[in-house]
Amino acid sequence: SGPKLSYVLNDEETGGRIAARRIGSILHGQGNIAIVGIQPELKSNSIRERVFESTLVREFPNIRVVARKLGLSSVPQEQRSAEELLSGATSVDAIVALSLAATRGTYYALTEFSKAGVIKLVGFDQDLIPPIRDGGIDSVVVQNTYELGRAAMETMNRQLHGLESPA
């Protein structure tokens, strides 16, 4: 660490709002959802979840969160957790997955239960393109890595020229 240490990070609040508004749109403002991949120990994940839920409450009061699942460390564990959700008594119209592992695991569970595309999945940080193309995953909130790289280079350039870094 030092005076020239800078960070360029995702805007997790915007990501949470994007996911909530997508859920609101695909469910036409009403339905039951589950949130999976909750990791309270990760600040970024907690921000995603908090903003997602507050946006739902404010903008889509007829969408209810009926299940919440803690995030697990691997895709197979996330898949098993999603399978438990799907085989339980709780009925959901959509699932929001807050991490790459949760998105993949939930997609695999939905596929296993022949529910991919039927129960809508909105995920974060996913890198599998075919399930997005064929509708198995409705949508994914991803980082704009080009913009993050541009902002990092701009910050370094400003520091090299003795200018203040943007906040």
Side-chain angles (χ1 to χ4, degrees), residues 119-140:
I119 296 175
K120 301 298 182 186
L121 175 58
V122 174
F124 279 83
D125 306 326
Q126 176 61 7
D127 58 355
L128 290 176
I129 300 301
I132 298 168
R133 286 189 179 139
D134 70 18
I137 297 175
D138 178 84
S139 37
V140 178

Side-chain angles (χ1 to χ4, degrees), residues 35-39 45 48 69-82 95-110 121-126 137:
I35 302 173
V36 300
I38 299 170
Q39 296 175 304
N45 186 281
R48 286 177 181 178
K69 294 277 197 174
L70 289 177
L72 300 165
S73 60
S74 70
V75 172
Q77 289 174 313
E78 289 284 5
Q79 179 178 349
R80 180 173 173 180
S81 177
I95 299 172
V96 174
L98 298 175
S99 70
L100 184 143
T103 303
R104 274 189 182 221
T106 301
Y107 169 70
Y108 294 151
L110 288 168
L121 175 58
V122 174
F124 279 83
D125 306 326
Q126 176 61 7
I137 297 175

